[in-house]
Amino acid sequence: MTKDIDHARLAIILNDLRLPAIKHGWPAFAERADKEGWPAARFLATLAEHEIAERDRRRVERHLAEARLLPGKTLDSFDFEALPMVSKAHVMAICAGDSWLDKGANLILLGGPGGGKSHLASAIGLALIENGWRVLFTRTSDLVQKLQVARRELALEAAIAKLDKYHLLILDDLAYVTKDQAETSVLFELISARYERRSTLITANQPFGEWGKIFPDPAMTLAAVDRLVHHATIFEMNVDSYRRRAAIDRKQQGAGRPPNFATINRKHSPCQRQSRPAS
């Protein structure tokens, strides 16, 4: 009876201390400690390490849920051999995140459609989250539309400030923002607000010389590019489209309907078909 009371009291105390992992896990650790004769310090340290590990796991889960990364896009599944201009070692160093994110530096991925920009951007975001950073992945046009709504509601400054909680903001497909003064002005305000404070990763189909198609005002184009590249790592990913390469590979491999669904040769019915000699 006393043991049950002590267990119930301990559960209440651990709730008050906000130690849910220890609350649920301590009986199993206590049983092991009794069997193996752990000293009290080892038992206490094991419980504390378990709580920290569970907090880290829950934090990563929360940050992954809010990041909206592309599913299945990891560094392990990224084809670095198809992009010799992108150093895997350099990317892995970037994924550590501490030095450049602390400085509010940027990443810019340039190249034609299908070259792996979005995959690499999402994979970098995933690695950073696993290392404790907060990330948001969004299509540029989607975020710009939300910021336009905020501007109409006189809440643009608050909406941009809310994005400060993300150490890295990934703006995918910059080129698909329409050349509209209202859209590009909120985009420019976002870039300006994060300049040297919070990091931004941009993927774009056009080189900087073509960004006049995004920002209608030449002065705004120069100012936006200047802010983005001032403290930036730039990867130029000018390779053939991955999707096009995959389609060619399938064609060369003779992809087609499975043999079970092949059209029957009308010259020979199944009962007339002659057996072939064994090869």
Side-chain angles (χ1 to χ4, degrees):
M1 190 68 164
T2 302
K3 182 179 179 181
D4 291 340
I5 293 173
D6 287 342
H7 284 199
R9 181 166 171 265
L10 181 58
I12 293 172
I13 292 172
L14 293 173
N15 267 341
D16 290 342
L17 292 174
R18 297 182 181 180
L19 299 171
I22 293 179
K23 174 189 171 184
H24 294 292
W26 78 263
F29 287 112
E31 182 179 355
R32 183 181 172 189
D34 290 342
K35 286 181 179 179
E36 298 178 9
W38 290 1
R42 180 181 176 187
F43 177 53
L44 182 59
T46 301
L47 290 177
E49 289 169 355
H50 177 62
E51 183 69 43
I52 290 172
E54 282 297 296
R55 286 186 179 184
D56 287 343
R57 183 187 62 79
R58 292 195 299 270
R59 184 184 67 248
V60 169
E61 284 185 351
R62 289 195 309 272
H63 291 176
L64 281 175
E66 73 179 5
R68 304 173 195 169
L69 300 172
L70 300 177
K73 305 302 183 183
T74 67
L75 291 176
D76 287 339
S77 63
F78 186 76
D79 188 0
F80 282 96
E81 291 184 2
L83 288 149
M85 71 289 292
V86 177
S87 164
K88 184 175 182 179
H90 192 179
V91 171
M92 299 306 291
I94 284 171
C95 291
D98 49 357
S99 60
W100 65 280
L101 287 174
D102 284 339
K103 298 174 183 176
N106 300 322
L107 282 173
I108 302 175
L109 310 184
L110 301 175
K117 300 184 302 299
S118 298
H119 183 153
L120 183 58
S122 190
I124 289 172
L126 174 60
L128 289 173
I129 290 173
E130 291 173 343
N131 285 329
W133 304 93
R134 296 183 74 175
V135 175
L136 177 64
F137 183 102
T138 177
R139 290 177 58 190
T140 309
S141 57
D142 292 343
L143 182 59
V144 163
Q145 289 174 12
K146 291 178 182 177
L147 293 178
Q148 281 187 285
V149 171
R151 166 169 276 174
R152 288 196 293 269
E153 296 174 351
L154 305 179
L156 178 60
E157 186 175 347
I160 291 177
K162 194 173 180 180
L163 295 171
D164 274 357
K165 67 182 180 181
Y166 299 108
H167 300 100
L168 179 65
L169 177 61
I170 301 175
L171 299 179
D172 194 32
D173 290 332
L174 181 75
Y176 291 111
V177 175
T178 59
K179 190 174 179 178
D180 174 86
Q181 184 67 42
E183 287 195 5
T184 53
S185 63
V186 295
L187 176 59
F188 179 75
E189 289 190 45
L190 173 65
I191 292 170
S192 298
R194 294 183 70 85
Y195 176 56
E196 292 188 324
R197 295 178 52 255
R198 285 297 195 205
S199 296
T200 304
L201 191 161
I202 298 281
T203 75
N205 293 338
Q206 294 109 341
F208 296 120
E210 300 293 324
W211 282 25
K213 298 175 181 177
I214 303 171
F215 298 96
D217 182 355
M220 185 182 291
T221 303
L222 291 174
V225 171
D226 181 65
R227 284 164 171 77
L228 287 173
V229 304
H230 185 201
H231 307 288
T233 297
I234 302 171
F235 289 119
E236 295 190 13
M237 303 168 63
N238 294 310
V239 294
D240 197 8
S241 166
Y242 172 80
R243 291 183 288 270
R244 181 173 177 275
R245 295 197 308 271
I248 292 173
D249 289 343
R250 287 195 300 271
K251 185 176 180 181
Q252 290 176 343
Q253 292 167 7
R257 289 183 295 174
N260 289 344
F261 297 94
T263 304
I264 295 175
N265 187 342
R266 296 299 180 185
K267 294 181 180 180
H268 301 285
S269 66
C271 60
Q272 295 173 327
R273 192 174 301 136
Q274 300 176 356
S275 61
R276 295 182 181 176
S279 56

